[in-house]
Amino acid sequence: MRSSHYILGLKREMASDRVHASLPDPPNQSEEENQEEDKAFGSIFAELESVDLPLGTTLRSIYDDQPNAHKRFMEKLDARIRNHDREIEKMCNFHHQGFVDAITELLKVRADAEKLMGQVTDTNRRLQEAGREVTAQTEEVIRCRIQQRNMATTVEKLQLCIPVLEMYSKLKEQLESKRYYAALKTMEQLEKVYIPRVSQYRFCQIMAENLPRLREEIKDISMSDLKDFLESIRKHSDKVGETAMRQAQQHRTFNSAVAKQASMGHYMKPVYSLSGQTHTHNGLMMDDTGDEEEADEEVLTAHDLVDFSPVYRCLHIYTVLGDRETFENYYRKQRKKQARLVLQPQANMHETVEGYRRYFNQIVGFFVVEDHILHATRGLVTRAFTDELWNMALSKIIAVLRTHSSYCNDPDLVLELKNLIVIFADTLQGYGFPVNRLFDLLFEVRDQYNETLLKKWALVFREIFELDNYSPIPVETEEEYKLVVSRFPFHDAEVEKQQDFPKKLPMSQSVPQIYTQVKEFIYASLKFSESLHRSSTEIDDMLRKSTNLLLTRTLSSCLQNLIKKPHIGLTELVQIIINTTHLEQACRYLEEFITNITNVSPETVHTTRLYGLSTFKDARHAAEGEIYTKLNQKIDEFIQLADYEWGMAESDGRASGYLMDLINFLRSTFQVFTHLPNNNNDHASMSGKVAQTACMSACKHLSTSLMQMLLDTELKQVSMGAIQQFNLDVIQCELFASSEPVPGFQGDTLQLAFIDLRQLLDLFMVWDWSTYLADYGQPTSKYLRVNPATALALLEKMKDTSKKNNIFSQFRKNDRDKQKLIETVVRQLRSLVNGMSS
């Protein structure tokens, strides 16, 4: 039917095309051709009826086949359509009665269907009402079954989740109780065992996500605890160091007591531990006060004073977390920083011994803690690290002590510092740290100690000299004499023979005081040598060297300054000379004193000798020189009072007043020397020698001063009257020299000091130029000591006077002759002077 309808539609289209097309009529065909054509169109129609679109190829074959094919196709198509219409009509006629019958039967069934529909509807209603209760009960059963199944599933899953939750709860409790190491172990179990079983649940995912955060929190908390520990240990280092140094000091005291007992035959073997208990075999221990304590008394250690658990805990935590290297680097870096802070001293540390003690306690505490960490942990710090810290600290400590000890001027403080350094070195040596450089530093500190001692004793010596009366020591009774002799090794046979009191000892009171203070200095110097682990020979050498410094530098300087003081007169200077002689003689007793202390024989090859002999000799020579200088200064003061009238015609006939005063002063001065005690032959010879030298020096200086006055370049004219007056003064000087103001001069030795003046004045007074010129250069010349230049200078001063003097105006011829003589002598003297210069 579909094909028929399609063919009909195609026919209409082609018919329409035929209307519009003007094609020629097909030619007449034969019967055979018609059959073939019918067969061809039949195949086309069959194809059209059986094939769906597209039909382009089939239709194109219709038009492209033969001319007028379209027309013939349309004709064939119309015939084909009519044929199909007839078949359709036949079919409809055949089935029409059955269709009518079916409709009639269907109308009959309609009423029954409606009745049946009503019955079914009613039945369905009643069935729904009856099954509603069953449905409700069924749904309840289904719901209960689902709940039961869910509960079973829930119980099963909860049995898997409960261990996870219990472990997580345990983790929280461990975190709250700060059991971080156990918490990390719990986390590890959660991650590896429990959470993988129930990893599909969100709460487990949240737990798994929280675990890294909790690990970081534990790391942060443990690091915070470590920082608190580092801060705490910095505060407690002082106490740790103090305890360790006290134990080291007790150990030294104990060993000293054991050594003493061993030397007495009562030896007790010590069992000592810096980190445990201290006892001996008889159960007694000696402390630094000498009291006996029970051996079971506990000795505090660094572990007792410091809680190291934060370090251990943090180390375990970082080890578990696989970050141990980071922790080790951080700990070492922080300890290095703390070491630098500990090694930084306070600015005023040198002022008190407590400043040094705190400094040493902190350093000892630091290294005691590091030693404990070294032995209590595995690899947190190494021996190489502690050695590096110690070497750095040792260099800093030595530099600090050098600097601060140089500021110290108190020998007691320096001695305390030395004792602290020794205990400090012994303490750290007990922990295995090398301390040789500290003992080498003690030699530098010893030099500083000696310097402070020398400064202190310089003040002592100056005070002794200031309070001395520079007069012989009066001894009223035998007890006073024994007291002086006990303080100073005085031995004088003449004084000892004198049975009667009072007596006078030749030296002044400063001598026994100086001797006593030198011994005190030796004792003070010896204190520093204790506990330095040095031999007796080295200690003896140190004592002698320091004593030599005291004598040659400090005491010598004090004596030199004393001698130069303006208020020290000639009497005091003479007493100083006597005092230095006694001190010089006492030097051998000082050597014996040192020998008795050190038990080192003075015959030892390398034994240093005391230089006191040269020191006191130098002081004595300086005092003698000062005597001569003061005498000369006094002479100069009198000379400055001279007031000669150089143009006077005649002399006054008596010596000048200033010169007589000067001679009287010299007489009284030299009488002081004669009044010194001569009960000792050495003293008498010494004072006599000093007096002779002083007298000779004074006469020579007086002669030189008078000569310089006469030849002064500012003095232009000198008259014969002035020469005569000057001659009178020189005569008084010669009389003073011949009067033997100081005993001991032989013949006219003292008068020879004025021989130059005497010969010069005689030459001018006698006017004996012919003899002078004739005998000049001869050893037997009467005027051998007169220098031509000196005579020429004085003669020229007189020549200028003669020109202006009118005293010879009435004797013109004599005046002219004298002038000619003077000019002749002047020429001859100049020739002699020129000959000497050439």
Side-chain angles (χ1 to χ4, degrees), residues 432-610:
F433 295 100
V435 294
N436 292 334
R437 292 173 61 188
L438 285 175
F439 284 103
D440 294 337
L441 172 68
L442 285 175
F443 284 97
E444 301 179 25
V445 179
R446 181 199 65 192
D447 295 336
Q448 176 66 21
Y449 177 69
N450 287 337
E451 289 296 324
T452 57
L453 286 181
L454 292 175
K455 292 178 182 179
K456 178 179 179 180
W457 258 258
L459 297 175
V460 172
F461 290 151
R462 282 200 289 268
E463 183 179 3
I464 290 175
F465 289 141
E466 289 176 359
L467 298 178
D468 194 8
N469 56 10
Y470 298 99
S471 58
I473 300 176
V475 180
E476 300 295 336
T477 62
E478 185 176 357
E479 287 74 13
E480 292 183 7
Y481 177 78
K482 291 180 179 180
L483 179 61
V484 174
V485 173
S486 65
R487 295 171 58 198
F488 179 77
F490 175 75
H491 302 285
D492 191 321
E494 295 295 331
V495 175
E496 291 175 355
K497 288 179 181 180
Q498 298 176 11
Q499 299 296 327
D500 300 331
F501 288 92
K503 300 178 182 180
K504 280 193 175 182
L505 305 184
M507 67 280 191
S508 66
Q509 62 182 2
S510 63
V511 172
Q513 293 176 352
I514 292 294
Y515 183 80
T516 302
Q517 287 301 322
V518 172
K519 292 173 65 176
E520 291 294 330
F521 176 86
I522 294 173
Y523 278 127
S525 182
L526 178 64
K527 289 181 180 179
F528 194 91
S529 303
E530 297 174 350
S531 306
L532 290 186
H533 311 298
R534 299 295 171 180
S535 64
S536 299
T537 305
E538 291 176 309
I539 294 176
D540 181 85
D541 184 66
M542 287 189 290
L543 288 179
R544 292 177 183 272
K545 287 182 178 179
S546 59
T547 306
N548 277 332
L549 283 176
L550 178 72
L551 296 176
T552 59
R553 196 172 77 182
T554 305
L555 182 56
S556 176
S557 176
C558 291
L559 285 171
Q560 296 292 339
N561 293 333
L562 174 67
I563 292 169
K564 298 294 183 182
K565 287 187 176 181
H567 70 275
I568 298 297
L570 297 175
T571 305
E572 289 81 0
L573 290 172
V574 172
Q575 186 63 55
I576 290 173
I577 293 173
I578 297 173
N579 291 347
T580 53
T581 303
H582 283 282
L583 289 172
E584 179 182 346
Q585 295 171 354
C587 284
R588 63 187 181 91
Y589 296 100
L590 290 176
E591 290 196 351
E592 293 177 0
F593 177 72
I594 295 176
T595 300
N596 293 333
I597 292 176
T598 60
N599 293 324
V600 176
S601 174
E603 284 76 21
T604 305
V605 177
H606 300 290
T607 301
T608 304
R609 301 297 178 184
L610 294 184

Side-chain angles (χ1 to χ4, degrees), residues 773-793:
L773 295 173
D775 296 342
Y776 178 76
Q778 299 296 325
T780 59
S781 174
K782 181 181 179 180
Y783 305 102
L784 181 63
R785 305 298 295 270
V786 178
N787 189 293
T790 303
L792 177 60

Side-chain angles (χ1 to χ4, degrees), residues 267-286:
Y267 178 71
M268 295 181 298
K269 183 178 179 181
V271 180
Y272 185 83
S273 172
L274 287 177
S275 60
Q277 295 181 348
T278 305
H279 61 275
T280 61
H281 279 187
N282 66 352
L284 297 178
M285 182 184 74
M286 299 293 292

Side-chain angles (χ1 to χ4, degrees), residues 85 87 131 148 158-159 187 263 273 545 631 685 706 778:
D85 289 339
E87 290 179 357
Q148 185 178 8
L158 284 176
Q159 288 177 348
M187 288 184 193
S263 63
S273 172
K545 287 182 178 179
L631 273 175
S685 61
L706 291 174
Q778 299 296 325

